[in-house]
Amino acid sequence: MKRMKMLAAFFSAAVLALGCVLFSACEEGQTVEGVKLVESTPEYVVIEATETKGSLYDAMKELKEKDLITFEGSQGEYGFYIQSVNGTAAGEGEFWAIYTSLGEYEDVSYSTAEYGTYEYAGTQYASANYGCEGMPLVSGYTYILALSTY
């Protein structure tokens, strides 16, 4: 009987440990292909670039492939138009905006506070001048997808 209890306890601990490993694989803070998912909610997603490569759209696709975020949209005249993130679709008078800490990079201005700002963790991020396909992923910079209003 004592041996059976020990075996049951061992089995329970093994299942619990496996569950923790599987759950942590999808936690925020995970780094995947040059990006770190800082936080993900139905109203905003915060991404930090850990490598300089590709675009924000490339990072979004990678995070989606790993089931860390979801998003839907369509190709338009100016590139990919984000219509929903993490199951939250933009409603009337709303849109999914991109805010970033990336200002000027390689003599191109990628954001400006003139078009709006977004505060996250005590820091103001400026509105992006480009869509997700035109926004380069630059190591050390933060990118925020946020449900915003007109």
Side-chain angles (χ1 to χ4, degrees):
M1 184 69 147
K2 188 174 184 180
R3 185 172 185 213
M4 194 65 134
K5 284 183 181 179
M6 285 179 54
L7 186 58
F10 175 76
F11 180 71
S12 295
V15 168
L16 181 61
L18 179 62
C20 289
V21 168
L22 292 175
F23 180 72
S24 69
C26 293
E27 283 186 349
E28 296 163 347
Q30 182 175 359
T31 301
V32 178
E33 295 295 322
V35 295
K36 177 181 176 184
L37 179 61
V38 177
E39 188 170 358
S40 179
T41 76
E43 291 81 30
Y44 62 89
V45 172
V46 181
I47 298 167
E48 182 180 301
T50 58
E51 294 178 27
T52 299
K53 69 176 195 175
S55 68
L56 176 58
Y57 182 65
D58 296 330
M60 292 167 57
K61 289 190 309 185
E62 182 66 29
L63 290 168
K64 185 176 183 177
E65 285 176 15
K66 302 294 183 187
D67 293 324
L68 296 173
I69 66 169
T70 63
F71 66 90
E72 300 296 327
S74 60
Q75 280 299 125
E77 183 179 347
Y78 301 105
F80 187 80
Y81 179 71
I82 303 168
Q83 296 168 322
S84 72
V85 175
N86 291 336
T88 302
E92 188 160 334
E94 296 178 321
F95 66 102
W96 279 94
I98 300 169
Y99 299 92
T100 184
S101 60
L102 178 64
E104 191 168 307
Y105 176 69
E106 295 183 342
D107 297 324
V108 176
S109 176
Y110 284 99
S111 68
T112 181
E114 262 182 62
Y115 299 124
T117 61
Y118 187 84
E119 184 175 338
Y120 176 77
T123 301
Q124 291 289 327
Y125 295 89
S127 181
N129 293 339
Y130 292 85
C132 59
E133 289 180 312
M135 183 64 67
L137 210 58
V138 180
S139 182
Y141 290 93
T142 301
Y143 304 81
I144 300 173
L145 306 174
L147 187 61
S148 300
T149 57
Y150 294 120

